[in-house]
Structure formats: C-alpha cells, structure tokens
Amino acid sequence: MTDLPLSGIRVADFTRVLTGPFATMLLGDLGADVIKIEPPGGDDTRGWGPPFQVGEGGRESSYFLSVNRNKRSVILDLKTGEGLEAARRIVAGSDLLVENFRPGTLERLGLSWDELHVRHPRLIYATITGFGLSGPYRDRAGYDVVAQGMGGMMSYNGDIGGPPLRVGVAVADVFSGALITQAILAALYRREQTGMGTRVDVNLLESVIALGSSQVGRYLATGEVPVPVGNDHRSIVPYGTVRCGDGYVNIAVGNDTLWQRFCGALNLTALGTDPRFVTNEGRVNHRAELDMLMLGALAAFTRQEMMDRLDEAGVPCGPVNDLAEVFADPHVQARGVAVTVPHPTLGETTVTAPPWRFGGEPLPVRRAPPTPGQHTAEVLAALRHTGAADADLKSLDCAQPEPEQPGQGVQGTGRE
C-alpha cells in the first residue's frame, strides 16, 4: 500500500519505554515519519532482557523490537546546546510532538507547549503522564503496575478469593498509548478545520479507570465494590473458561437461545430444561450449582470435540491458546499477523504487523525497529541542509535510508 493515511505527517518522538513508543509506532504504521529521539544509551528498553535476539551485527531486546517498528532513531543529548538545538529544529519541521517525560521536564529544556505553540502554531503537542498535568499526584512517576493498582483494576482481577492480580500485559501503558493516538488523530482533523495545533494529554491512572468500563459503571450505579471472579462474567452465565478433557475452551453463552444450543450440542438436555437454569438470571443466581453439574459432563469432551460441536451449533467459543499455538493457527497465518523484515544488525527480525487494513489492504512494515542512532547522521545532515533553525523542514528526507552504524551523531544523556 503506497498511499498511507498519515503520509506527509512528521512526528518528533520524545517518548521511551512502552506507552509513548506504542503510540508513535501506531502513527508510524499509519504512514507518519516518526523520528525517535533517544539519549546516547538509547531507550531504556534496549537493555531490557533477556530475551535478546542475536545476529551477526549484535543483539537487540525483544521488548524494544515489539514497539518500535516504522521509526527512525536519532541520538541527541538534550542537556547540551548542540543536542537541544537539533531537537528544536526537528520539532520545527514536525506536525506532532509526542512525549512522556515527567511533567515539567520539557518545559525546563525550553520545549514547553506554551513556547512552541507561539513559534509553531500548527504543532500538535501530545503528552502522556502517570497522573495528569494537575492534581496532588502530578509529579509522581507513572508505571503500569502502579496505575493498575491505583485505578482499581487489580482489585477485581484474579481468582475468586485470591489476592489482587496485575493483568498479564501492561494494559495501562498500551491502552494509554491507544487513547493518545486517538486524540492525536482527532487533533489532526481539527487542525484541518481551524489551521491551529492543540495540546492533548492522557494519563495512565484515568486510562485504567476508563478501561474498567462495566466494572466501574456497576460501582457508580450501585455502590457495590467488584471483587475477583476469575474468568467468569458477573452478569452472564455460562461465560468464560471451561475445562474439557485435554485443555480449556472459552465460551460465550450470551442469551437464553444460545444456552439451549449449548445444552443441545453437549448432551446437557436436562440442564436446558431445569427451571433454575432456563433464564440467564436464574443461571447467575445458581452459578455454583450449575458449575458443579457441568463439570463432569464437559470433561468427557476433548477440546477439539467441544469446539466442533459448539461451532456447529453456532455457540461462540474458542480455545485457550499459548503463543506457539496462536502463531501456528492457520487463520493467524493467513492474516499475516507476523512479518519478517530486514534488520541492520540481526539480518532479519520478525515483528507483528500493523493491526489495521485500509481498503482491504494490510499496512506495511516499512522500517524494522531501528538500532540506536541509526538515522542520526541522515537526519542531522538534512537539518544542516535546510539552514535556519526555524526553517520548514518538510524537505527532510523521508526515504528508506541505507543502514548506518549505531550511535552516530550527537551524544549525551538527555534523560531526567
């Protein structure tokens, strides 16, 4: 696909670790030219491992590789005049600035929203924090596990009667990254109407609360504090994970018609006519009795047998896969979810593909996750070519570059 939705949009990416890089990766997937500005040691996640992927030219953190496709990397020391001036000139030629430093960090470097908006009124300035730009927790560092706990999610996640449990992926980070991407796209649309940029911000705590969705809504409506119920659903039965003879299957019996189909498919006719279980309300109220009655009957089926029967009956279901099973799944393979791309130090690496399709076509992985400073010389040469610090840098080369040696360009620390 050559005509990508965000072609011609440039992003000055001051983010690191997960939530910001996830957001800028999505923007890069959509066609934006993302210039990832890193300190000399690189993004923290370059050292997060094992596991590392090893090639003839070095090794790369699998964590870093997972959220940094479709970007260019520039090494700058924002605490030196030379590095800061280069950063300002990159910003001057960008449509978006995205950052996830602690509040006040970029202000101290002269890269605040107030200053930049005066000089570059079309610039969209996106900020991701732990707790927002105001309030008592404004200056606290934000991390996913902290946000999951403070936002209530860990209190209703986990097994019945068990301790608080963090969701197994960094949902506060990833959801915040998705939300800031939505806000950025809305700001780009607004700029088309008004000609002016704006500031958008998202924080991890409120993202977790928003992600709580029905659990939060239930509490606000009733005052009832949710508690963990494992893989079950509080308001629908059966809905969740059931155990069969050789594994686990997820089922979603979302109404009474599906309940009758479920019972017919799995030879549970007596349960389908039992007055306690005919309606969903009854099944919710008699959840424990129903679970005990189904336990032995479901164990008689293999996982594949159960799914075949439920599929034929039109009951939503699916296996509980490990990741090896996920990527061996013929549907996942047919959809091209994993993509192998050339890499300057690894030879090649496999990453997940962008999750959208436009006009039925998948979006390409145009660039492998970059090595540290891979594009520093390229970007700085273009900056020197443009002349004045506030020049329009849209002439900055966006073509796929030749691989360069890591670490070229301005050096330093550049981190709080």
Side-chain angles (χ1 to χ4, degrees):
M1 184 174 184
T2 56
D3 185 21
L4 296 172
L6 294 184
S7 293
I9 297 296
R10 179 162 297 115
V11 181
D13 178 9
F14 289 87
T15 69
R16 63 263 193 256
V17 186
L18 179 53
T19 185
F22 182 80
T24 55
M25 179 180 70
L26 297 181
L27 296 171
D29 290 344
L30 291 168
D33 176 29
V34 178
I35 301 176
K36 182 178 178 67
I37 300 167
E38 301 185 68
D43 188 311
D44 284 354
T45 59
R46 289 189 182 276
W48 285 12
F52 295 96
Q53 184 176 347
V54 180
E56 290 185 3
R59 68 177 193 172
E60 305 291 337
S61 162
S62 66
Y63 196 113
F64 179 86
L65 293 171
S66 71
V67 288
N68 284 287
R69 63 179 180 253
N70 286 331
K71 302 178 186 181
R72 296 194 283 172
S73 170
V74 171
I75 296 288
L76 298 178
D77 180 357
L78 299 184
K79 293 183 179 178
T80 68
E82 182 185 6
L84 189 55
E85 179 61 20
R88 286 173 175 160
R89 296 181 66 195
I90 291 172
V91 171
S94 297
D95 299 277
L96 309 171
L97 182 155
V98 188
E99 60 96 7
N100 63 345
F101 287 96
R102 284 197 193 190
T105 300
L106 290 190
E107 284 82 349
R108 291 191 292 273
L109 294 173
L111 294 170
S112 70
W113 156 250
D114 291 335
E115 293 177 74
L116 292 178
H117 184 56
V118 171
R119 300 179 69 178
H120 313 295
R122 288 179 55 82
L123 180 72
I124 294 165
Y125 194 109
T127 295
I128 307 162
T129 62
F131 300 94
L133 299 175
S134 62
Y137 301 154
R138 174 183 181 273
D139 296 324
R140 294 181 64 168
Y143 285 88
D144 178 87
V145 66
V146 175
Q148 285 197 38
M150 293 182 70
M153 182 165 287
M154 290 175 61
S155 73
Y156 52 77
N157 184 54
D159 292 327
I160 298 171
L165 187 67
R166 182 180 72 87
V167 177
V169 296
V171 293
D173 282 330
V174 171
F175 190 55
S176 296
L179 288 179
I180 199 69
T181 303
Q182 290 179 335
I184 287 168
L185 296 177
L188 283 169
Y189 177 74
R190 181 179 179 183
R191 191 179 73 174
E192 289 299 303
Q193 298 174 307
T194 66
M196 298 293 289
T198 190
R199 186 176 196 181
V200 294
D201 70 276
V202 162
N203 69 81
L204 271 62
L205 176 61
E206 290 169 45
S207 295
V208 167
I209 295 171
L211 187 58
S213 185
S214 61
Q215 305 292 2
V216 173
R218 183 185 186 118
Y219 167 73
L220 293 176
T222 67
E224 177 186 344
V225 176
V227 296
V229 293
N231 292 333
D232 290 338
H233 194 289
R234 287 174 173 79
S235 302
I236 307 172
V237 173
Y239 187 109
T241 306
V242 296
R243 185 167 189 168
C244 50
D246 62 349
Y248 294 90
V249 173
N250 282 324
I251 58 172
V253 181
N255 57 51
D256 295 335
T257 299
L258 287 175
W259 168 244
Q260 293 302 322
R261 293 181 186 175
F262 175 84
C263 292
L266 300 181
N267 303 325
L268 300 173
T269 307
L271 294 183
T273 58
D274 190 312
R276 294 173 295 175
F277 309 135
V278 170
T279 67
N280 180 70
E281 182 177 357
R283 294 192 295 275
V284 171
N285 290 333
H286 297 280
R287 183 193 303 264
E289 300 102 298
L290 180 59
D291 285 346
M292 288 300 298
L293 290 169
M294 288 196 305
L295 188 63
L298 299 184
F301 296 97
T302 67
R303 188 171 74 163
Q304 192 60 53
E305 287 171 345
M306 181 180 293
M307 288 190 300
D308 288 344
R309 285 172 172 252
L310 294 178
D311 278 339
E312 185 176 356
V315 178
C317 66
V320 178
N321 288 333
D322 62 30
L323 284 178
E325 292 170 316
V326 170
F327 286 98
D329 188 299
H331 181 82
V332 173
Q333 292 180 351
R335 295 289 294 177
V337 174
V339 179
T340 298
V341 293
H343 189 277
T345 60
L346 301 175
E348 62 180 27
T349 188
T350 301
V351 296
T352 54
W356 309 280
R357 297 196 176 212
F358 278 75
E361 293 186 44
L363 299 183
V365 179
R366 298 171 291 116
R367 301 176 185 273
T371 55
Q374 179 181 341
H375 306 95
T376 303
E378 169 191 315
V379 171
L380 293 188
L383 290 177
R384 288 190 293 271
H385 177 71
T386 59
D390 287 332
D392 180 3
L393 303 185
K394 287 298 182 182
S395 62
L396 203 157
D397 182 17
C398 294
Q400 180 71 37
E402 293 298 320
E404 298 176 18
Q405 294 300 313
Q408 293 181 3
V410 183
Q411 300 291 311
T413 56
R415 278 188 60 93
E416 283 293 296

